[in-house]
């Protein structure tokens, strides 16, 4: 069964460093998302990406964050100058687009646990 | 302000019983509502989607109802099993908006053998 894959599963980084989280969405999906979940809190939307550009973003997704689809399969989230409060699980998700433009349900990857020390 | 509310207290039930989880929302006009399962340290797994013009959806032992007047969805698991123990999240996508799911905090379900 197709699935969204994320690497690495766990990343530890020093405060102030840059990290890149990687995702391979399901191959025929056209919408891609990043969410995060701080320990014990709810899953929060960060950004969606469609047709090689950001389509929506939340207030959390500030200039510290960027996304890229560097090739036909990968979708990355870059966090510059990481802070302690960036420690969280980061989930990538993807969805199809039906005829007429409606998106289908989102399929989530297993997440990358980011720990900033 | 917009809210998606799910019971923060864990739901404990005996194996074989029906589990019922609640999702209430405020100041949303959802085009659809989704239910996800999340196991510790894992990503949400999609279970069911119900659209604004649907009252009920079923899939195997799962049933979802959607009452846009009460602004509530109920999620039922019949003949529950210990393997059903997990956190269940509801997520809304708004009509006229981006359709991006916004999640509630989830309710933990514990099924005792």
């Amino acid at each position: 069964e197709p699935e969204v894959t994320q690497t690495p599963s766990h990343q530890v980084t020093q405060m102030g460093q840059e990290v890149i989280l990687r995702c391979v969405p399901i191959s025929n999906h056209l919408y891609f998302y990043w969410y995060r979940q701080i320990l014990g809190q709810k899953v929060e939307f960060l950004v969606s990406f469609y047709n090689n550009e950001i389509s929506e973003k939340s207030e959390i997704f500030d200039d510290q964050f960027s996304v890229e689809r560097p090739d036909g399969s990968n979708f990355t989230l870059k966090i510059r100058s990481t802070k302690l409060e960036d420690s969280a699980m980061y989930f990538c998700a993807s969805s199809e687009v039906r005829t007429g433009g409606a998106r289908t349900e989102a399929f989530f990857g297993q997440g990358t646990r980011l720990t900033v020390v | 302000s917009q809210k998606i509310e799910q019971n923060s207290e864990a739901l404990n039930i005996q194996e074989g019983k029906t589990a019922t989880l609640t999702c209430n929302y405020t100041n949303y006009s959802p085009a659809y509502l989704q239910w996800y399962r999340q196991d510790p340290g894992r990503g949400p797994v999609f279970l069911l989607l119900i659209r604004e013009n649907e009252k009920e959806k079923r899939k195997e032992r799962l049933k979802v109802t959607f009452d846009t007047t009460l602004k509530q969805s109920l999620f039922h698991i019949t003949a529950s099993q210990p393997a059903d123990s997990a956190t269940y999240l509801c997520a809304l996508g708004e009509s006229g908006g981006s359709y991006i799911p916004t999640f509630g905090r989830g309710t933990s379900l514990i099924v005792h053998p």
Side-chain angles (χ1 to χ4, degrees), chain A residues 56-115:
Chain A
E56 296 97 354
K57 61 182 181 178
S58 72
E59 292 175 354
I60 303 168
F61 192 87
D62 59 20
D63 292 343
Q64 186 194 5
F65 295 91
S66 61
V67 289
E68 195 177 35
R69 187 156 165 83
D71 54 45
S73 59
N74 289 286
F75 179 52
T76 62
L77 174 69
K78 183 188 290 186
I79 309 175
R80 288 180 281 275
S81 189
T82 49
K83 300 175 282 200
L84 295 177
E85 53 265 39
D86 294 327
S87 296
M89 283 287 279
Y90 287 81
F91 296 109
C92 174
S94 66
S95 61
E96 288 183 84
V97 178
R98 296 198 198 283
T99 304
R103 304 182 214 193
T104 66
E105 64 275 17
F107 289 80
F108 284 77
Q110 296 301 333
T112 294
R113 180 174 299 283
L114 176 66
T115 303

Side-chain angles (χ1 to χ4, degrees), chain A residues 35 37 40 56 91 103 105 108, chain B residues 34 38 43 98 100-101 105:
Chain A
Y35 283 77
Q37 187 175 31
E56 296 97 354
F91 296 109
R103 304 182 214 193
E105 64 275 17
F108 284 77
Chain B
Q34 297 172 297
Q38 187 175 30
S98 63
I100 292 171
R105 294 179 71 103

Side-chain angles (χ1 to χ4, degrees), chain A residues 9-22:
Chain A
S9 56
H10 192 185
Q11 173 99 40
V12 181
T13 189
Q14 294 260 335
M15 193 167 53
Q17 295 297 304
E18 174 182 287
V19 295
I20 297 176
L21 310 182
R22 302 181 192 279

Side-chain angles (χ1 to χ4, degrees), chain A residues 33 35 37 40-45 48 56 89 91 98 102-111 113, chain B residues 4 32 34 36 38 40-46 49 51 89 97-106:
Chain A
Y33 314 87
Y35 283 77
Q37 187 175 31
Q41 298 191 24
K42 66 178 182 179
V43 177
E44 299 175 291
F45 169 72
S48 67
E56 296 97 354
M89 283 287 279
F91 296 109
R98 296 198 198 283
R103 304 182 214 193
T104 66
E105 64 275 17
F107 289 80
F108 284 77
Q110 296 301 333
R113 180 174 299 283
Chain B
I4 301 171
Y32 67 85
Q34 297 172 297
Y36 288 80
Q38 187 175 30
R42 313 280 276 182
V45 174
F46 170 77
L49 179 151
R51 300 191 189 282
L89 312 176
S98 63
Y99 282 69
I100 292 171
T102 302
F103 286 84
R105 294 179 71 103

Side-chain angles (χ1 to χ4, degrees), chain B residues 6 10-11 13 22 26 28 46 51 53 59 64 67 80 89-90 97-98 108 111:
Chain B
Q6 296 184 255
L11 177 64
I13 63 167
T22 306
T26 310
Y28 277 99
F46 170 77
R51 300 191 189 282
N53 58 347
K59 179 182 174 183
V64 172
D67 189 327
S80 59
L89 312 176
C90 80
S98 63
S108 175
V111 181

Side-chain angles (χ1 to χ4, degrees), chain B residues 31-79:
Chain B
Y32 67 85
L33 188 145
Q34 297 172 297
W35 283 90
Y36 288 80
R37 169 184 174 140
Q38 187 175 30
D39 291 286
R42 313 280 276 182
V45 174
F46 170 77
L47 297 174
L48 279 169
L49 179 151
I50 187 164
R51 300 191 189 282
E52 60 180 330
N53 58 347
E54 298 174 317
K55 298 290 186 190
E56 183 178 298
K57 223 35 167 331
R58 290 176 187 259
K59 179 182 174 183
E60 298 171 352
R61 294 186 295 114
L62 308 180
K63 184 177 88 170
V64 172
T65 62
F66 194 12
D67 189 327
T68 54
T69 302
L70 290 179
K71 299 187 187 302
Q72 181 182 78
S73 174
L74 300 179
F75 177 78
H76 307 272
I77 306 175
T78 57

